[in-house]
Amino acid sequence: MNSAPGKLILAGEHAVVYDQPALAMPIAALRASVVAEPAPSGAGMTVHAPDLGLVWRLRATAPLSDLAQRTLDYLQLPEPDLCLTISSSIPIASGMGSGAAVGAALVRALAEQAGQQLAAHVISDLVYQSEKAFHGTPSGIDNTVVAYEQPILFQRQAHADPIIAPLAVGQQWHFVVADSGIASETKAVVGDLRQRWLAEPDLYNAQFAAVGSLVRQIQVALAGNAGPEFGQLLSQNHQLLQTLGVSCAKLDHLVQAALEAGAWGAKMSGAGWGGIMLALVPAEHAALIQNQLRAAGAVQTWQTSLLPTQAAEEVTHDHA
Ligand code: PMV
């Protein structure tokens, strides 16, 4: 079985599409998996998602068919007689990277058939190329964090490969994540913001730059050990996302509920207009904050944490 984790964007979503830095971490406990089983000779390749009641053939016009074809091309393999079955505990359309995780697991499963183990940057790039074909203008942060499976800073560059650097983490940080229950399509939110950016580029570029400098401060706070300061920076990021018009009443309500319950800071995470929010919490208050978020209308909540690391070093910048 091949798998990949879900992810959280800690800071910098949306501005990252406009070449500002953003921070993301994997959620190892939520995963997408792909099991490959041989199919009868001549049957070709099918991808099954029993949870969704869907089946795709390789030749279909669908993101996973496209990704499978790109992967087979990369591996220089003809269509195999194979049945691939997807299962995933990552909520769909909620900002937790379920599409990228399913994609990364699928690429790994096909590579295994070829007796190969692909490097993280190759997996990331295959998923990115396919997301680009189907989802407009993805920054590349989702496929990167999911394929590398470590906390990263990600920054696109106009004329070069993106910067991908592992994050230094100063102490164990605890997060509570809550799902608003409102499904939201990343493409719609990103496309709407793009229209507004096109109409008023100077205004939005200034706001994206403000997010970018906040992200740099959050990167420093993450490497330190001052929870209240770190939290306040995350809450400031939420306010900037509100100004950008990508939050919604329910996310704002959950952010407020987390802060009132004792979180150091809270923000929406991912594309917005629904999906999830996250709260940085003192460990001893995590369960209480989780309960308060449910009482405030969250449909699902999770706890996750980041473990302390040694100093960060650049791992790669190999990305199309
Ligand atoms: O896929 P989501 O919902 O986690 O959102 C992706 C983050 C955005 O910055 C909004 C878009 C992108 O491509 O980076």
Side-chain angles (χ1 to χ4, degrees):
M1 186 167 72
N2 289 278
S3 73
K7 68 101 214 328
L8 283 178
I9 297 188
L10 275 180
E13 51 274 89
H14 286 290
V16 69
V17 176
Y18 300 84
D19 297 359
Q20 298 292 339
L23 313 179
M25 62 182 266
I27 310 184
L30 296 179
R31 302 191 79 82
S33 305
V34 172
V35 174
E37 287 161 314
S41 172
M45 204 194 96
T46 46
V47 182
H48 298 248
D51 299 345
L52 304 177
L54 292 173
V55 181
W56 298 275
R57 295 204 60 80
L58 185 61
R59 308 275 163 229
T61 309
L64 287 179
S65 304
D66 174 85
L67 177 59
Q69 188 59 62
R70 282 173 201 275
T71 306
L72 292 173
D73 290 347
Y74 178 86
L75 295 165
Q76 298 185 312
L77 281 184
E79 179 173 355
D81 296 319
L82 204 60
C83 171
L84 296 164
T85 305
I86 298 168
S87 58
S88 173
S89 56
I90 309 166
I92 294 171
S94 67
M96 293 174 107
S98 86
V102 167
L106 181 79
V107 172
R108 289 196 171 118
L110 286 172
E112 189 180 57
Q113 293 300 310
Q116 290 190 41
Q117 230 186 348
L118 299 178
H121 72 88
V122 174
I123 298 170
S124 176
D125 196 49
L126 286 165
V127 175
Y128 179 64
Q129 297 304 335
S130 175
E131 290 212 335
K132 239 183 6 185
F134 282 86
H135 295 303
T137 55
S139 64
I141 190 170
D142 277 23
N143 47 278
T144 303
V145 65
V146 157
Y148 283 81
E149 208 163 330
Q150 60 178 311
I152 51 151
L153 176 142
F154 177 91
Q155 183 170 21
R156 274 168 42 119
Q157 303 188 94
H159 303 294
D161 291 333
I163 297 164
I164 300 164
L167 291 173
V169 182
Q171 65 164 59
Q172 187 171 6
W173 296 112
H174 298 270
F175 297 91
V176 171
V177 179
D179 185 354
S180 67
I182 303 170
S184 165
E185 286 298 331
T186 302
K187 189 179 176 182
V189 193
V190 171
D192 180 82
L193 182 54
R194 179 161 294 269
Q195 290 311 313
R196 289 183 282 125
W197 171 73
L198 286 170
E200 290 181 285
D202 294 347
L203 174 74
Y204 283 94
N205 285 337
Q207 290 178 7
F208 294 145
V211 173
S213 63
L214 196 54
V215 165
R216 291 289 176 195
Q217 294 177 61
I218 292 172
Q219 184 187 9
V220 174
L222 186 72
N225 54 18
E229 284 78 2
F230 180 9
Q232 201 172 11
L233 293 167
L234 293 175
S235 297
Q236 280 177 30
N237 192 176
H238 183 70
Q239 285 158 16
L240 288 172
L241 288 160
Q242 285 178 310
T243 310
L244 286 173
V246 295
S247 189
C248 66
K250 178 103 183 246
L251 286 169
D252 293 345
H253 178 61
L254 293 175
V255 163
Q256 195 55 38
L259 294 175
E260 283 168 12
W264 281 321
K267 65 183 280 291
M268 55 157 272
S269 174
W273 287 0
I276 54 159
M277 54 76 67
L278 61 85
L280 178 72
V281 303
E284 64 276 17
H285 294 159
L288 172 80
I289 293 167
Q290 218 175 345
N291 286 339
Q292 293 298 99
L293 283 167
R294 274 202 214 103
V299 296
Q300 273 190 94
T301 59
W302 300 267
Q303 285 186 35
T304 187
S305 70
L306 261 182
L307 295 174
T309 57
Q310 302 302 316
E313 53 178 316
E314 189 142 320
V315 278
T316 181
H317 50 87
D318 191 0
H319 195 290

